[in-house]
Amino acid sequence: MRRLLGALGAAFAVAGCAAPQPPATPDAPTPALPTATPAPAAPALLVAAGDIACRPHQRPDDEDLCAQKTTADLVIGLKPTAVLALGDTQYDDGSPDEYESYDASWGKFKDITLPVVGNHEYQTPDAKGYYEYFGDAAGKAGEGWYSASVGEWRVIVINSECAEIGGCDAESPQGRWLAEQLDGAPRCTIAAFHRPRFSSGLEHGGDPALEPLWAQLADGGVDVVLNGHEHDYERFLARDADGRVGTGPVEFVVGTGGHSLRAFSRVERGSEVRWDDSVGVLAMTLRPDGYDWRFVGPEGTPPVDSGTGTCREQ
């Protein structure tokens, strides 16, 4: 049969007749596939405070002095993505034995804590107790600076105990490291260190020695700076390295982590909110292009401060 069909085909060809073909039809359009839209990144919740734990057995949970358990309960209730412990984590001198008190309170969320070294930690030589307790999370011993990601944000942790690390200027080891971090930073960035550049606090006030550090942060596009050291809560408008209001990072001083409170001595330029009537923590919701904040105190605390901000253009 195949040979017969082949012969017939050859006969048609010889006769000049083409085999019949079906009529041409235009190609049907290929249906467009739906384009997947990436889901927006879920906001991250960062909770921060410094100046936290009294030494063991020193008036535990006294609201006037040792309220580290109260603030720990606030943190637990907020269910944060990450916790920033803004220095002076353990009084009086941050010795290894004293960290028993921090561990019994804020140690409950140690696994998600980004620690910051403060001046009281260095009352133990080389801040040995601090580095032993927090381990790799504290950065390299002897340095105390490192960076981490929280959601879409970069958190840059800095050591503000300048005399312990060879200075805080741009040419210091930390300053050179910071320049590299800022060069590769995403749009939204937080810097965290213990001593505030600006403060209306009674005990210490702002530290002018940190002006070169602030200049790097302001020029590098950092959005928010978080500090402790003064035992109060204060929020500043954006300020540049010279203290002029209008550009630069927004600074929050959150020294209300549990160890006593102090009054304000004056009102520093650019200070928007001041609070020294209760302990508490700062809760920051970090979105890909901005942030929301609110101060969270114990039950009965009135609304202290809240708001929203947009990340600076790089």
Side-chain angles (χ1 to χ4, degrees):
M1 177 62 73
R2 288 181 181 175
R3 290 181 181 177
L4 175 60
L5 292 174
L8 290 172
F12 274 104
V14 171
C17 298
Q21 299 293 326
T25 57
D27 293 336
T30 302
L33 296 176
T35 302
T37 302
L45 180 63
L46 177 69
V47 174
D51 306 275
I52 298 169
C54 291
R55 63 178 55 177
H57 315 302
Q58 181 185 1
R59 298 174 65 183
D61 213 29
D62 183 321
E63 288 295 338
D64 294 326
L65 179 63
C66 301
Q68 64 266 15
K69 291 183 180 178
T70 297
T71 55
D73 287 344
L74 294 175
V75 177
I76 292 169
L78 289 166
K79 298 179 174 60
T81 307
V83 172
L84 259 174
L86 295 169
D88 285 3
T89 49
Q90 178 61 65
Y91 287 81
D92 280 338
D93 55 19
S95 66
D97 290 343
E98 287 182 335
Y99 266 97
E100 174 189 334
S101 181
Y102 181 95
D103 192 61
S105 53
W106 282 52
K108 295 172 183 176
F109 27 87
K110 182 179 177 181
D111 288 347
I112 60 169
T113 294
L114 305 175
V116 176
V117 69
N119 55 299
H120 274 268
E121 283 88 345
Y122 276 102
Q123 292 185 24
T124 292
D126 301 321
K128 181 180 178 182
Y130 168 83
Y131 286 109
E132 283 188 359
Y133 179 77
F134 287 108
D136 293 341
K140 185 178 179 180
E143 293 181 349
W145 57 80
Y146 63 92
S147 66
S149 294
V150 179
E152 300 291 304
W153 285 59
R154 173 80 54 82
V155 177
I156 301 175
V157 174
I158 297 168
N159 190 339
S160 60
E161 299 307 302
C162 304
E164 301 286 346
I165 56 169
C168 289
D169 59 272
E171 296 305 316
S172 68
Q174 179 176 250
R176 293 193 294 270
W177 171 86
L178 178 58
E180 294 176 356
Q181 294 295 308
L182 295 174
D183 282 346
R187 180 183 176 191
C188 298
T189 310
I190 288 172
F193 47 99
H194 183 59
R195 296 177 184 263
R197 170 64 187 92
F198 305 107
S199 169
S200 304
L202 175 65
E203 184 76 10
H204 305 290
D207 191 340
L210 298 174
E211 182 177 340
L213 175 60
W214 192 273
Q216 277 192 277
L217 301 176
D219 293 344
V222 168
D223 301 285
V224 173
V225 169
L226 300 178
N227 305 124
H229 199 45
E230 281 289 0
H231 294 198
D232 55 43
Y233 173 82
E234 187 169 19
R235 175 173 58 82
F236 283 86
L237 296 171
R239 298 180 71 176
D240 65 14
D242 297 321
R244 292 181 297 240
V245 173
T247 61
V250 174
E251 183 190 48
F252 295 81
V253 179
V254 197
T256 50
H259 189 286
S260 67
L261 295 169
R262 299 185 187 130
F264 292 95
S265 63
R266 62 194 180 284
V267 178
E268 177 76 18
R269 180 174 53 176
S271 176
E272 278 279 278
V273 176
R274 293 164 302 285
W275 176 256
D276 58 8
D277 284 353
S278 76
V279 296
V281 298
L282 178 67
M284 297 190 69
T285 300
L286 305 180
R287 296 177 275 101
D289 60 351
Y291 59 100
D292 306 311
W293 77 84
R294 63 188 176 105
F295 180 86
V296 180
E299 185 176 356
T301 302
V304 172
D305 188 29
S306 62
T308 187
T310 301
C311 296
R312 300 166 63 192
E313 294 293 340
Q314 298 294 323

